[in-house]
Amino acid sequence: MAKIKTEDLVKEAADPIAESMGFELVDVEYLKEGQNWFLRIYIDKDGGVTLEDCQTFSGKINEWLDRTDPIQSSYFLEVSSPGLDRPLKKPSDFERYLDKEIEVTLYTQLDGSKYYKGVNKGIVGENLLLIIDKDKSIEIPYKNVGSAKLYFEF
């Protein structure tokens, strides 16, 4: 089964399971690292997820994975929180994290750069609006956003 189809299939099953448990399904990754395959599922909830939350969700999704066996090769299942630098994948993520500082990487350059950091002002029409500094903002076509995540300075 192709990687993209595997991720989509797992997302389709994991989303209602997460929702029924009070979690948000943030992302699903199915990737090879070295000689091993990993199925990583990221969940979140208001106030953050605990290790117990991850274990409980892991048990539920593992029941589905065992029953349906959608992945032919062996793999390691990992369930975790998206972390402090949480990826923003859906328009609702940008809405949820309005006025937070984010990093955005673009598919193609805009005004000479493929990377921007600024305060998220949400998606307006077809564009993501970022405040770069007090006097400068930029509108990025949403379809040009390759990746976006919360910015956290250590």
Side-chain angles (χ1 to χ4, degrees):
M1 183 170 279
K3 174 186 167 205
I4 293 173
K5 288 188 178 196
T6 298
E7 289 174 344
D8 290 343
L9 184 64
V10 172
K11 280 179 188 175
E12 194 174 295
D15 196 36
I17 294 170
E19 193 174 300
S20 74
M21 298 174 75
F23 303 130
E24 172 193 2
L25 179 67
V26 175
D27 200 11
V28 174
E29 297 175 334
Y30 181 61
L31 43 93
K32 190 170 188 176
E33 292 181 1
Q35 294 184 0
N36 298 311
W37 283 93
F38 290 86
L39 177 61
R40 292 193 175 110
I41 302 175
Y42 300 94
I43 58 172
D44 204 2
K45 70 176 183 184
D46 287 339
V49 293
T50 65
L51 180 58
E52 185 178 320
D53 292 333
C54 292
Q55 289 172 330
T56 303
F57 180 81
S58 180
K60 291 286 187 190
I61 194 65
N62 206 30
E63 288 174 13
W64 177 82
L65 290 164
D66 286 347
R67 188 175 62 252
T68 61
D69 199 21
I71 302 172
Q72 302 306 311
S73 61
S74 62
Y75 59 92
F76 294 96
L77 173 64
E78 295 179 354
V79 175
S80 68
S81 95
L84 294 174
D85 59 346
R86 174 198 164 114
L88 306 177
K89 299 266 188 177
K90 305 170 282 207
S92 60
D93 292 337
F94 291 93
E95 214 172 287
R96 181 176 181 186
Y97 293 100
L98 279 175
D99 298 321
K100 301 289 184 190
E101 196 165 21
I102 63 173
E103 295 178 283
V104 180
T105 303
L106 308 179
Y107 289 120
T108 59
Q109 284 189 5
L110 179 65
D111 294 339
S113 182
K114 288 177 77 174
Y115 172 83
Y116 288 94
K117 181 176 76 169
V119 177
N120 170 32
K121 289 300 185 180
I123 297 172
V124 179
E126 300 291 318
N127 298 317
L128 169 63
L129 178 60
L130 282 184
I131 304 298
I132 305 300
D133 61 37
K134 291 181 186 178
D135 301 324
K136 184 176 180 187
S137 65
I138 187 166
E139 289 189 28
I140 300 169
Y142 184 68
K143 66 183 180 186
N144 193 19
V145 175
S147 67
K149 63 183 181 177
L150 292 177
Y151 178 76
F152 185 80
E153 194 168 321
F154 293 94

